[in-house]
Amino acid sequence: DTEVTQTPKHLVMGMTNKKSLKCEQHMGHRAMYWYKQKAKKPPELMFVYSYEKLSINESVPSRFSPECPNSSLLNLHLHALQPEDSALYLCASSPLDRMDYGYTFGSGTRLTVV
Amino acid sequence: GQQVMQIPQYQHVQEGEDFTTYCNSSTTLSNIQWYKQRPGGHPVFLIQLVKSGEVKKQKRLTFQFGEAKKNSSLHITATQTTDVGTYFCAGPEAAGNKLTFGGGTRVLVKP
């Protein structure tokens, strides 16, 4: 399995809703990432997990709450989002012991906040 | 913090022609990675360059890492419609497992 699987693919949520994005990989990668991408912009890093521990939080608002239950799963819990949070949310993974390996991205969750 | 810039932002290419996109970092990089994102898709890893002056080829794509390891280029020969998409370069920050993406070059191909 050489894929990163993200669910759901599309999500529309109200500003008072609570929802979760899910990400799964079975490549044995010990680093997992959440990126946010707005239209016509590059991906922006949100969080990094290394060996299931949060290692980088790019000053993301607390309405975004990441969770890494095990080495294969990564969640992003959403609560009280704003319309400007509408974006493509990308999960990625990479090995931590190989220098010649890039990131493997999932196909993303396209989030619309109404 | 580290900044990675790409030019041009947009590239309109006639099918069959060549073009080059350039990537410049504000800091020396340990390596540079290139990704391609098709319209409506997600970034897909193309290649990583590590050594100063390194040149790597993938079919019609030629990637180069500058001698000072602060710039890189992607040259595509005989552009095809399948080359449409946005090409991002990305460099790791010195501390931590953090990859910073350039702004991307959006490539449109005229048949």
Side-chain angles (χ1 to χ4, degrees):
Chain A
D1 189 350
T2 58
E3 290 187 344
V4 173
T5 303
Q6 287 189 245
T7 56
K9 293 199 182 306
H10 300 274
L11 179 62
V12 179
M13 61 184 290
M15 290 188 283
T16 59
N17 292 160
K18 284 186 181 181
K19 296 286 184 182
S20 296
L21 309 184
K22 297 187 182 301
C23 174
E24 188 169 5
Q25 58 90 13
H26 296 286
M27 295 176 282
H29 292 173
R30 301 307 296 275
M32 296 185 76
Y33 313 85
W34 280 114
Y35 277 84
K36 174 182 177 180
Q37 187 177 29
K38 295 281 239 181
K40 294 182 170 46
K41 296 291 186 183
E44 291 181 22
L45 183 66
M46 300 175 71
F47 303 104
V48 179
Y49 274 83
S50 301
Y51 298 109
E52 296 88 68
K53 295 268 190 298
L54 182 64
S55 57
I56 296 177
N57 176 343
E58 288 288 279
S59 303
V60 179
S62 59
R63 58 185 184 269
F64 295 90
S65 176
E67 178 196 20
C68 190
N70 59 55
S71 60
S72 300
L73 294 174
L74 187 66
N75 298 321
L76 186 63
H77 302 297
L78 313 174
H79 173 55
L81 295 193
Q82 303 296 311
E84 59 264 28
D85 296 321
S86 298
L88 179 67
Y89 288 84
L90 294 161
C91 174
S93 71
S94 70
L96 281 171
D97 55 352
R98 282 187 62 175
M99 291 295 293
D100 60 343
Y101 215 92
Y103 288 14
T104 302
F105 281 87
S107 57
T109 294
R110 200 162 294 277
L111 174 68
T112 303
V113 181
V114 297
Chain B
Q2 175 181 284
Q3 291 187 339
V4 179
M5 293 147 287
Q6 280 184 256
I7 54 171
Q9 191 175 354
Y10 295 92
Q11 181 81 53
H12 295 252
V13 191
Q14 192 72 43
E15 190 173 13
E17 290 186 344
D18 303 352
F19 77 90
T20 303
T21 175
Y22 300 90
C23 176
N24 293 286
S25 170
S26 59
T27 59
T28 301
L29 300 170
S30 59
N31 66 77
I32 189 101
Q33 300 178 19
W34 285 88
Y35 292 79
K36 177 183 179 181
Q37 186 171 19
R38 294 181 185 273
H42 58 278
V44 174
F45 175 69
L46 294 177
I47 208 161
Q48 177 174 277
L49 304 170
V50 179
K51 299 176 184 174
S52 170
E54 188 171 15
V55 178
K56 286 188 177 180
K57 292 190 176 184
Q58 288 182 349
K59 297 183 181 178
R60 295 178 294 103
L61 277 60
T62 301
F63 303 84
Q64 188 165 4
F65 202 8
E67 294 291 338
K69 300 182 76 171
K70 293 182 72 173
N71 56 72
S72 181
S73 64
L74 161 58
H75 181 78
I76 300 182
T77 59
T79 305
Q80 299 177 359
T81 54
T82 54
D83 296 323
V84 165
T86 302
Y87 294 83
F88 293 102
C89 64
E93 298 241 344
N97 198 18
K98 177 179 172 180
L99 200 61
T100 299
F101 283 78
T105 293
R106 185 165 284 102
V107 175
L108 302 171
V109 179
K110 294 176 281 188

